[in-house]
Structures are given as structure tokens and as C-alpha cells.
């Protein structure tokens, strides 16, 4: 890792008021949850995103998609927060009201590490929701759906789907607005483990930079947003974040 970049990021963190931590799949890689776009280990090196992470794909083969998510859910439940998640949570605890965590991750590792109010841009893989809007009043509860792969509503046949954001879908109401406010208002944005390939999430880094924030990136490999960074810390999150945050 570049010592000058580490020193610069530490110094900025020490003086920063509001900090926004923006994370992607690399944040959870060392907890054993695969990323999407890493060349050898990413999910998209083995699976077709159009078939598995889109509404069209789910409607075409609901059982295939449900089973794929069931395996991934089991992996998330087995995983534990790593030293990077814990370092962010300790850093935020020491600065009440000054640190906003915005994540693209659908796992719950930030929450389990203690960042219970992390903003989740791409949903929650452990949640169920209906595929189609429920027309019943009161609305049926997906947790009560009949067994099946995927489970179905006993009243109308509606199918349950995972509570994630697929390609072409809108982000959860309010999430992007809250994340944009944090990006606009922060003095420092710490970007961890994202390729910066997916929008509108990647736009947050540009927003923070344009608004005058110091941008520091933690990633062992180049990303599409490196040109936005004042400091790039080349290394894995679980190693770099404790080094960076425990001394800031
Ligand atoms: C480490 C590490 C370690 C490794 N430590 N680092 C503007 C321009 C172009 C396209 C679009 C645009 N606006 C919208 C789009 C379309 C689309 C999009 O962005 N497409 C691009 C891919 C081209 N966006 C959307 O569809 C979004 N919706 C939307 O825009 O709605 C409005 C709209 C609707 C209709 C019409 C038009 C507009 C929704 C995006 C939803 C993304 N969903 C997914 C799947 C979630 C469900 C699931 O888990 O199955 O979210 S895709 C996947 O990518 C997942 C992630 O959250 C997201 C981002 O990936 P991330 O986190 O960056 O991971 P990777 O794998 O890409 O990168 C990992 C990084 O970690 C790497 O850099 C490694 O080096 C690093 N790393 N180990 C630290 N140990």
C-alpha cells in the first residue's frame, strides 16, 4: 500500500466533520461472500446476470432464480462481519451522528457489525417480497406464503421473490435521496470495495467529489471511479480499514 496515500487519508479523516462510507461487494469478500465482477471469483464470471438478476429472468424461470438466491442466502447467513466491517462500526460509534454508511450490499454484515442504520441501495437478500403488487386488502404477507420454490400466495397465486434490486428496477424509496444527501454533505467519502460500474449508485462518488469532499478509495484492484479519488489505498478491506480507521 502507498504510505503517502494512507497518511493523507488518515490526516483528512482526523479533521473531517461528516464522513460518508460507501461500500460494495469487496467489503464482504473476506467474509466469504463472492463479489460480482472479479474476473475469476465474481458471480458474473459464472452466472448470467440477465437470467438471474432481472425480473424477466425470474418470470422466465422462477425456480432456477429462487434456488440460486436460496444458496446465496445460506452463504450470507453463515458469513460473519470481517475486521473491515468492525473497524467502520467502531469508527462510527466514536463519532455519533457524523458517519453515514451507504452500501450496495444485499447482505446484513454492516448491520451485524453494529451499523444498524446503514442505507441499503440494492435491498436485502434475506427479505421476501411479492413479485406483483398485492391486490388484496389488507395486503397478504409474503411470510405467510404457501411452501414452494418460489413460495406462492394461497389466495391469488402471486409469487415470492427476494427483496433485492434487480437491473432495470428502481432503488428502494428514499434510499438514493438519503445517500445523495450524505454524499453532498460529507467532507470525506471513503469508498470501499466497489467496481463503480453500477448506476445510479456509482454517481454518489462523483457527487461527493463535485461537492468538494476528499475521496479515498480502498480496493486491491483498479475501479471505474479511481479518477475521482484523492487517495487510492490498494489493498483488501479487512486489512486496510483497521489500519486506516483505528489511527484516525
Ligand atoms: C475488494 C476486495 C477486498 C475484491 N477488499 N475490495 C447509467 C449508465 C449506464 C447504465 C445505467 C445507468 N443508470 C442505470 C443504468 C442501468 C443499470 C446499470 O448500472 N448497469 C450497468 C451495469 C451498466 N442500473 C440499474 O438497472 C439500476 N436501476 C436503475 O437505474 O433504475 C432506474 C431505471 C429503471 C428503468 C430504466 C432506466 C432506469 C439498478 C441496479 C441494481 C444492481 N443490482 C445488483 C444485484 C443485486 C441483487 C443480487 O445480489 O443478486 O447489485 S448488480 C450487482 O452490482 C449488485 C451490486 O450491489 C452492484 C454493484 O457491484 P459492486 O458492489 O461494485 O461489486 P463488483 O463485483 O462490481 O466490484 C467488487 C469490487 O470489490 C471490485 O472493484 C474488486 O476489485 C473489489 N474487491 N475483493 C476490497 N477484499
Amino acid at each position: 500500500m502507498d504510505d503517502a496515500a494512507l497518511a493523507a487519508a488518515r490526516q483528512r479523516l482526523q479533521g473531517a466533520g461528516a464522513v460518508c462510507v460507501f461500500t460494495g461487494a469487496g467489503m464482504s469478500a473476506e467474509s466469504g461472500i463472492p463479489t460480482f465482477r472479479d474476473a475469476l471469483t465474481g458471480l458474473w464470471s459464472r452466472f448470467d446476470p440477465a437470467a438471474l438478476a432481472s425480473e424477466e429472468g425470474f418470470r422466465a424461470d422462477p425456480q432456477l432464480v429462487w434456488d440460486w438466491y436460496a444458496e446465496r442466502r445460506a452463504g450470507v447467513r453463515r458469513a460473519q462481519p470481517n475486521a473491515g466491517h468492525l473497524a467502520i462500526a467502531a469508527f462510527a460509534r466514536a463519532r455519533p451522528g457524523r458517519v453515514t454508511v451507504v452500501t450496495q450490499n444485499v447482505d446484513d454484515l454492516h448491520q451485524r457489525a453494529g451499523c444498524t442504520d446503514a442505507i441499503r441501495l440494492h435491498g436485502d437478500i434475506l427479505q421476501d417480497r411479492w413479485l406483483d403488487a398485492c391486490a388484496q386488502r389488507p395486503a397478504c404477507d409474503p411470510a405467510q406464503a404457501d411452501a414452494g420454490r418460489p413460495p406462492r400466495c394461497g389466495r391469488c397465486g402471486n409469487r415470492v421473490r427476494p427483496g433485492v434490486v434487480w437491473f432495470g428496477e428502481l432503488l428502494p424509496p428514499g434510499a438514493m435521496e438519503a445517500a445523495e444527501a450524505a454524499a453532498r454533505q460529507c467532507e470525506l467519502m471513503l469508498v470501499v470495495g466497489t467496481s463503480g460500474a453500477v448506476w445510479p449508485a456509482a454517481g454518489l462518488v462523483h457527487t461527493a467529489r463535485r461537492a468538494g469532499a476528499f475521496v479515498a478509495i480502498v480496493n486491491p484492484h483498479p475501479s471505474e471511479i479511481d479518477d475521482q479519488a484523492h487517495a487510492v489505498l490498494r489493498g483488501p478491506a479487512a486489512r486496510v480499514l483497521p489500519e486506516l480507521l483505528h489511527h484516525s
Side-chain angles (χ1 to χ4, degrees):
M1 192 180 9
D2 178 346
D3 287 344
L6 180 63
R10 270 189 191 146
Q11 191 195 4
R12 291 294 185 141
L13 275 165
Q14 276 160 6
V19 174
C20 180
V21 182
F22 174 54
T23 68
M27 180 78 235
S28 299
E30 289 149 283
S31 294
I33 299 178
T35 64
F36 296 91
R37 294 174 185 79
D38 279 287
L40 298 176
T41 53
L43 290 171
W44 299 157
S45 69
R46 290 176 289 144
F47 301 104
D48 174 8
L52 292 162
S54 75
E55 184 182 328
E56 296 73 35
F58 186 79
R59 287 189 190 278
D61 195 340
Q63 186 175 327
L64 175 86
V65 177
W66 182 260
D67 289 350
W68 189 66
Y69 277 94
E71 264 187 47
R72 289 183 52 208
R73 284 174 162 184
V76 166
R77 289 196 177 99
R78 280 194 303 271
Q80 295 300 324
N82 64 49
H85 295 102
L86 298 174
I88 292 171
F91 180 78
R93 244 192 331 273
R95 291 160 185 76
R98 282 166 48 198
V99 179
T100 306
V101 177
V102 178
T103 188
Q104 298 167 85
N105 296 345
V106 297
D107 65 53
D108 59 351
L109 297 185
H110 279 305
Q111 287 76 12
R112 280 199 263 147
C115 295
T116 49
D117 52 1
I119 298 169
R120 308 174 81 148
L121 296 178
H122 294 160
D124 176 352
I125 197 170
L126 299 177
Q127 289 291 314
D128 284 339
R129 63 181 176 92
W130 292 122
L131 176 60
D132 296 303
C134 179
Q136 311 289 329
R137 291 290 170 270
C140 307
D141 179 357
Q144 309 293 319
D146 292 343
R149 294 166 38 216
R152 278 179 176 274
C153 178
R155 284 208 272 181
C156 64
N158 201 354
R159 292 193 190 96
V160 170
R161 55 159 283 184
V164 298
V165 180
W166 284 327
F167 285 112
E169 293 187 325
L170 295 176
L171 275 51
M176 195 61 200
E177 291 76 3
E180 271 172 346
R184 267 196 312 275
Q185 289 158 16
C186 68
E187 285 173 39
L188 186 144
M189 177 177 267
L190 180 58
V191 182
V192 185
T194 179
S195 60
V198 172
W199 290 74
L204 293 170
V205 183
H206 298 255
T207 300
R209 171 85 203 212
R210 266 199 311 273
F214 184 89
V215 175
I217 289 183
V218 176
N219 196 317
H221 305 294
S223 76
E224 295 188 16
I225 43 181
D226 284 0
D227 61 347
Q228 298 297 304
H230 296 92
V232 177
L233 309 182
R234 282 271 171 257
R239 178 166 65 75
V240 174
L241 290 172
E243 272 188 60
L244 175 65
L245 298 176
H246 287 169
H247 297 96
S248 299

